[in-house]
Amino acid sequence: MIGGGGNAFIGPIHLKAALMEGEIELVCGCFSRTYDTSLATGRKWHLDESRIYADWQEMLRKEASLPDGERMDFVAIVTPNHMHYPQAALALELGFDVVVDKPMTWSLDEALRLQTLVQRTGRTLALTHVYAAYPALREMRSRIARGDLGTLRRVYVEYTQGWLSQRIELCGGNKAGWRTDPRTSGKGGCLGDIGVHAWHLSEYATGLKVTEVCAELSTFADGRPIDDDCAAFLHYEKGVKGILHATQIAVGEENDIRLRVFGEHGGLVWSQLEPNTLLLRHDDRPTEVLRIGNGYPWLAEETRARTRLPGGHPEGFIESFANIYRNFALTVRARMNGVEPDPLWLDFPTVDDGVRGMQFIETMVASANSDGKWTPWVYAPL
Amino acid sequence: MIGGGGNAFIGPIHLKAALMEGEIELVCGCFSRTYDTSLATGRKWHLDESRIYADWQEMLRKEASLPDGERMDFVAIVTPNHMHYPQAALALELGFDVVVDKPMTWSLDEALRLQTLVQRTGRTLALTHVYAAYPALREMRSRIARGDLGTLRRVYVEYTQGWLSQRIELCGGNKAGWRTDPRTSGKGGCLGDIGVHAWHLSEYATGLKVTEVCAELSTFADGRPIDDDCAAFLHYEKGVKGILHATQIAVGEENDIRLRVFGEHGGLVWSQLEPNTLLLRHDDRPTEVLRIGNGYPWLAEETRARTRLPGGHPEGFIESFANIYRNFALTVRARMNGVEPDPLWLDFPTVDDGVRGMQFIETMVASANSDGKWTPWVYAPL
Amino acid sequence: MIGGGGNAFIGPIHLKAALMEGEIELVCGCFSRTYDTSLATGRKWHLDESRIYADWQEMLRKEASLPDGERMDFVAIVTPNHMHYPQAALALELGFDVVVDKPMTWSLDEALRLQTLVQRTGRTLALTHVYAAYPALREMRSRIARGDLGTLRRVYVEYTQGWLSQRIELCGGNKAGWRTDPRTSGKGGCLGDIGVHAWHLSEYATGLKVTEVCAELSTFADGRPIDDDCAAFLHYEKGVKGILHATQIAVGEENDIRLRVFGEHGGLVWSQLEPNTLLLRHDDRPTEVLRIGNGYPWLAEETRARTRLPGGHPEGFIESFANIYRNFALTVRARMNGVEPDPLWLDFPTVDDGVRGMQFIETMVASANSDGKWTPWVYAPL
Amino acid sequence: MIGGGGNAFIGPIHLKAALMEGEIELVCGCFSRTYDTSLATGRKWHLDESRIYADWQEMLRKEASLPDGERMDFVAIVTPNHMHYPQAALALELGFDVVVDKPMTWSLDEALRLQTLVQRTGRTLALTHVYAAYPALREMRSRIARGDLGTLRRVYVEYTQGWLSQRIELCGGNKAGWRTDPRTSGKGGCLGDIGVHAWHLSEYATGLKVTEVCAELSTFADGRPIDDDCAAFLHYEKGVKGILHATQIAVGEENDIRLRVFGEHGGLVWSQLEPNTLLLRHDDRPTEVLRIGNGYPWLAEETRARTRLPGGHPEGFIESFANIYRNFALTVRARMNGVEPDPLWLDFPTVDDGVRGMQFIETMVASANSDGKWTPWVYAPL
């Protein structure tokens, strides 16, 4: 693992999620640029000190030189956005598979280069769009794909947080710092941090791609050099229309993500704050409450493969992360063994999702910069 | 009352709301163009047959000729939009006060003329923006006005229905007919039917006016000659930004109206499906659940004046309507008696709200017709 | 109307509920023992002063002497419990139909005498068990009666309030006074005020009668001379078992009533705080959300007869009260006209429910006084 | 680990919970009496075959003979109830610390012997009352202990499931089998499986002990030789009264656990289906929504020690289990190292809770067998 030292938020989550299924062990790490921090973190995780590094390049190169069976199998990258590309690129070059947090890179250009590198090396890259890894999202995708809602029409997706309503990045020492600095986060603030999750959820659930956007980026906290709020009308393939909004200045809101999809004959409604429930709207009978649980035969096989518990035993955020890690691990192991992975294991976001995510950011910024003009999806780097 | 005959939806609601406070009696009505229907409806309400009319003009003129104490005091107009203006105009000319359903008129031009007429005649006109008459909305308005949220930043308002997901207007004999026909509804379909409610809620709660919009109108049901879905980014005064969306094609959704307002230090969240609850978000302590009930001293006096019951005894849609009727009746009676109405009674929408509502529709249509271009508020008729 | 003067809670609710359907007019009243209060209340309701009384006996006798068409048709009794019997008895003797609030009388003995009187006079008596008059309760009753849940097994009913957690009755001038004084409330405090509602809901929904109880009555507020909390295990006919609890000392709870009924193949769950929703549990498919609204064909005809609005337009407590008043009024008018009432109109609680309610109170007290011994239903007065 | 093979429910959960914090590794297991099943399960968890056993006694003895550093440190027992005692007893005798699922033993007599054994050996035993390990329960306990609610009065605790509404144990091959057979489950069916959780939650949150009960045990599924439903009135220390009910025949209910505690000045309300929310009721101001999340300074330090994520990132059932395992592991490691464990780590149920749990079962059965007579807490084995 690269990153996740000290009081980092997402690194420890990656680790717990990776460990819980018994498919992955932590064997080495460079948790911080500061060796003391890296060492303290590594010790906390009971790592051998010889495998705790202060320099990620050193770690990648040294691990690559270790014998089979001892060498790490893959690397998880949980650093600020601007480090994703160099770290992932070197890991791929050295023959490692990679898990990387979203957004995949700092720029679209980097994303395209990473895509090329993955194709060239044949390695596996997983992108942790964790919200799409909830079982309920898989159920949405499955039901929509098989036509339960009829022809799709409307998508509403939103992501509401309040933790950046004040300029807490000025206090220093917190996770707000790099997220609100374009040099480390890239072109998107709220847009890159959570807007890209919202967009991804909508494409994942519907199986449709956005083709053009009409966007507005806003900065509500005085002096912040990047957006802390974004919104867009979206046009998807096949005439489907969407509304997306994400904000980090909605005071008192924690992490409220909602997705609603309506077709000609039905609708599906999901909220991350109660992730194990899905409402299925009908035009001719009462709404059904689709509860997630591995014992419900009316859930898709793919959905049940993402759950561990019977209904009424809440699964949460870490389990969702663990779905990505387990599928990634099973896929990587199969490929190591020259075996075709079970299609159920391939259920994780890849470098292609990462490229589209960076294109989404570029498209949004382009539209917002042109006063909300409808802007076609940006395929080329700008 | 004019309209409300047969199986009409909103007419009987107006009546029940008008009657429940004991301030208003039904004395006459022209419930339908068809005399038999009007007669049957009037009898159902125990009217004397001499006061049941088949022609609204006849009713207005005849009632105007009756002696004081016998003559009706005011008229409620619950007909399709294109009839509002001629009926309200004649009533005003003949000296009656008027309650009229929203949108106030078929066109902005009519609205402006009605405004002039109200000013000239000095009569009272109430517009039934019923959702803004819920106690919780008054509480939002009061708290925002006194600065509880700090400087406002973000408004989200939405109105989601599904009953027009199919072209049920083609079946005839239902309330979808005139709502989806521009000749009777005006320029807005979904926009005029419910979008205008959403807009009004947001201005009512925040006390701020929209200054420009970036809109998209959509028609999802094939062949429908008017929008059945609308959305807009809104700019309000003082730099506040809003997102509004309303739809009538969200299959299985009943009447889901939500309003969220966030300022620098707090937020307020309301949903019409549970109208007696308001969530108050803070940046420094847990969310509070503000429940509506006349015994809670922490609610504004104006809020408590809109409730009838202690907490835990649900008040609903009809009570909200009744708030408008009671306030209108008390105001009209005071004015009849040459007395200044209590400021609490003036808490109902007027002809000025009606004019702004029609301007909203015009502005939305203008923006949508220019491919979502940011369009300043339309003051003049187009 | 007798009672309801000054700042009374339930009287004005009765009136609004009675008025809203246009079937009932207020023609006279004795709203308080104090003439000034009665007068002020009567004037507020625009009564002619000649019909505002200070003495209920005088009112009943004088009204009885008025000519047909002028005389009141029935009387609503909204006084403390100990006054119900004398007032209802005289009204019946004088030929008036009666609406009376629950519990029907101060003692079981009075209840039985009232039952005899109703039988002898042939008049109509309605008891305002308002919670059973919600549409959702009718839906529960209909579905259970037609076997949707299979053989019944378990009933959970609860009623939770917190307003009596302190001895506010000592402050005087509030509705807690007579409710916590056995001389005015009868044997039950919480038991008679809300416990009896909970019991009634369960019998209404299941169509089953309680046959024995194992009860505990508690007084948590020091020095209060009557229970402020009650609980019981219930045995119903056909082997069905229930748990009932009601309290008035659950600090911060408003009026939280819940009823859950489970049979061999399904369950129904209802909460008064969201009265327009009913959850239907299945053993072989997802839970359905049965929403109340007059347009849903899957609701029973009887349910729809209790609603006024399409789904998503909340109906509340006053509408529930109005269901009783409207049905009572239609029934009384039909009987006046020598016509058989429509069976749908007979959907209101009668003197027989009132007798069972008093038996419930007696049975609960008897069990509690014997240290929770299982006690058979008390049919005779004690 | 002993147990958890094949399609067992709770075994794999224990494992995932144990692994996720990186404090525990799986080194050996006897997952089933059938060697093939044990082997398959062990391989799935990537165990060395030499450490996969078919016989738990063999495993315990062989592991005990292994050298330090190789030998397992503790054993988790996830077998049917009747096996808990012999397995835990031998483990303790051989010097292993133990994690055991609830109820701790098959009989109270076994529980008392286990308690003696723990005292004699000085080993650590953790009992997985998982629901009490949710952060919200710790918050309830902390707030009640510091007097936020004032003097306690009322406790409501309930546990509602529906999966045993039919006699699915007759189908064989499922987890219902041993749970409904007194030879394997002990005296309690529903009582021992989930009733004991409900009781434990209430004592954990309030810090008070039950002193007497008035109980009813029921069997609704024809022919089932043990209760599938239980209910009781409870008297706690200090005059606090409780109502407990648990059922496994509430068709369609998943795993609905609720706990409500009311004192003289406040109340706390929790539901397991949304475990990260706690409602705090007040008598003088609006209800507060206490959300769980490690960043909220108004939560007790002990509560935050049980969470991993900021608010709005749902933690669930497995995280709750992991709280017990982590605390147990940290405690055991400290004791191994001769260090006093941090008081925060001692936050897990012990053998003493296990003994009280078995006493609860005995007391309930005794009361139910005497027709619901109030029965004092059973301290001695019966």
Side-chain angles (χ1 to χ4, degrees), chain A residues 181-255:
Chain A
D181 181 343
R183 291 168 303 179
T184 41
S185 70
K187 290 188 185 173
C190 172
L191 173 59
D193 197 29
I194 63 174
V196 73
H197 270 311
W199 153 80
H200 180 261
L201 275 181
S202 77
E203 288 204 350
Y204 181 78
T206 62
L208 296 175
K209 295 200 184 323
V210 173
T211 58
E212 56 177 351
V213 316
C214 165
E216 181 174 35
L217 299 185
S218 306
T219 303
F220 286 103
D222 278 351
R224 184 169 280 157
I226 203 164
D227 69 282
D228 49 26
D229 180 292
C230 62
F233 301 138
L234 307 174
H235 288 171
Y236 295 82
E237 300 167 310
K238 301 190 184 174
V240 175
K241 294 184 175 186
I243 300 176
L244 175 152
H245 53 90
T247 190
Q248 297 182 307
I249 58 88
V251 173
E253 296 289 345
E254 296 175 326
N255 198 44

Side-chain angles (χ1 to χ4, degrees), chain D residues 182-227:
Chain D
R183 292 169 300 181
T184 42
S185 70
K187 289 188 185 173
C190 173
L191 175 58
D193 197 29
I194 64 174
V196 73
H197 270 311
W199 153 80
H200 180 262
L201 275 181
S202 77
E203 288 203 350
Y204 180 79
T206 63
L208 296 175
K209 294 200 184 321
V210 173
T211 59
E212 55 177 353
V213 318
C214 166
E216 181 173 36
L217 299 184
S218 307
T219 304
F220 286 102
D222 279 349
R224 185 170 280 157
I226 202 163
D227 70 281

Side-chain angles (χ1 to χ4, degrees), chain C residues 153-154 156 158 165-166 216 218 220 229 235 241 245 247 251 253 258 260 263-264 281 371, chain D residues 153-154 156 158 165-166 216 218 220 229 235 241 245 247 251 253 258 260 263-264 281 371 374:
Chain C
R153 290 172 162 182
R154 251 292 175 216
Y156 302 104
E158 60 178 88
S165 60
Q166 303 297 323
E216 181 174 34
S218 308
F220 285 103
D229 181 293
H235 287 172
K241 294 184 176 187
H245 53 87
T247 191
V251 173
E253 295 290 344
R258 301 187 204 187
R260 292 174 280 180
E264 200 179 339
R281 303 281 194 213
D371 200 26
Chain D
R153 290 173 162 182
R154 252 291 175 216
Y156 303 103
E158 60 178 88
S165 60
Q166 303 296 324
E216 181 173 36
S218 307
F220 286 102
D229 181 292
H235 288 171
K241 295 185 175 185
H245 52 89
T247 191
V251 173
E253 295 290 345
R258 301 187 204 186
R260 290 174 281 180
E264 199 178 338
R281 304 281 194 213
D371 200 25
W374 277 100

Side-chain angles (χ1 to χ4, degrees), chain A residues 64-84:
Chain A
S65 71
L66 293 177
D68 265 20
E70 192 175 336
R71 186 179 57 228
M72 72 172 183
D73 289 320
F74 73 94
V75 65
I77 298 171
V78 294
T79 49
N81 302 344
H82 68 304
M83 298 306 295
H84 291 185

